[in-house]
Amino acid sequence: MQETIFVLDFGSPSVQLVPRRIRECGVYSRLVPRNISAEDIRQQQPKGIIICGNSIGLDPEIFCMDIPVLEIDPVFFEMEKLRHFVKEVCGCQCTWTMKNYAASVIERFREEIGSDEVICGLSGGVDSSVVAVILSRAIGRQLKCILVDSGMMRKDEIKNIVSTFEGHFDLELRVVDAADGFLQRLAGVSEPQEKRRRVGHYFIEVFSEVAKQLTNVRHLAQGTIYPDVLESGSENSATIKLHHNVGGLPEKLGFNLVEPLRDLFKDEVRKLGIELGLPEEFVWRHPFPGPGLAVRCLGEVTQEKLDRLRVADAIVVEEIRRAGLYRQVSQVFAVLLPVKSVGMTDGKRTYDDAVAIRCVATDDFMTADWVALPGEVLRKMSSRIIAEVNGVNRVVYDISSKPPATIEWE
């Protein structure tokens, strides 16, 4: 049985960081509801329990079980104290590694899936890519990967995904061009959550059409990771964002859900990808939202706006790479703002769009700080965007941290 440390969930973002620190000690840890009963804990047999803040409202029997309990401040706790509790008090063997996880998860899904086929939405992001590799190792060409071209991807995204997977892994990959359909469904829509809903719903439509062509598919694989689950709301926390890969799809498509990464943080997913043989430059690509550029193009989405944003975003990433900073930051991208401002080009007055640059550093994407990029890097980004992107005459830099801001603007 896997060694586990429970952390009682009080709904605070700081509490969500504690399991991450325990995993750094080589022991799996997860949040559990604060109203969990002592009996439920006994049945699940954790090696230890962490209480953050105070014990008000907890089942008093928790303190009477033969399971070590540690009370800590979720913000100002000492890592050394945490390590001592995990290793010395709880007696954990500390065998939680991505190598061990890879072996166990591949074997698990090989047994669970059997001879069935699995359909997987391959977005090109780290999460879905690692899921595809895990399942290709587990069931081979029973895995059917679907790459939906929404028309809202980064520059050369589709070409890069196809070359990576067809060149390195034995799996079936179908590319579906659905760009026109996505754009039609977003016409006239400005509200962020409605954009996400429409993208998610049309994604399901496209998937359903592809699924009709497959006869033995019983399972749907998704790249859901632990922060997705936490941010999508729970008994103790509010919904921060809507994810079309957290709930909803299995009911509509009639498939069993396969989520090999549901228990992992983002950095663990990257380590797992390297362990499984994904190219390093692919594994370390920065995250990209499910709705794509639709939620970085504020306001109504049009083809003209997407074209501008795609070029601006590519410039930002190119300059970060050229400066040797890509691996030192967690996420960097451009946002097209629904704001026009006065400018001067070739001695003539202009009234054009503005672009915001967002660059953050984070360990787990639960919280994030803005990065103070060198002035010369920002200067090059701004100069190139204004010179190379038609209809843009102003560039601004986002210096907001998460919280209170989110990483994405929508």
Side-chain angles (χ1 to χ4, degrees), residues 288-301:
F288 191 61
L293 297 179
V295 293
R296 293 179 179 175
C297 179
L298 307 194
E300 182 181 3
V301 179

Side-chain angles (χ1 to χ4, degrees), residues 240-261:
I240 297 174
K241 65 180 76 170
L242 293 179
H243 295 269
H244 68 258
N245 65 338
V246 182
L249 285 176
E251 291 79 7
K252 290 185 177 290
L253 295 178
F255 296 143
N256 298 319
L257 189 59
V258 174
E259 295 177 313
L261 310 179

Side-chain angles (χ1 to χ4, degrees), residues 141-173:
R141 296 187 72 83
Q142 292 168 230
L143 175 66
K144 313 299 179 183
C145 290
I146 311 300
L147 173 56
V148 177
D149 183 357
S150 66
M152 299 173 194
M153 311 287 273
R154 290 172 285 200
K155 185 180 179 182
D156 297 328
E157 186 89 343
I158 299 299
K159 180 178 69 176
N160 292 336
I161 296 169
V162 171
S163 63
T164 296
F165 280 88
E166 289 189 344
H168 292 83
F169 303 101
D170 182 27
L171 51 78
E172 181 180 324
L173 175 59

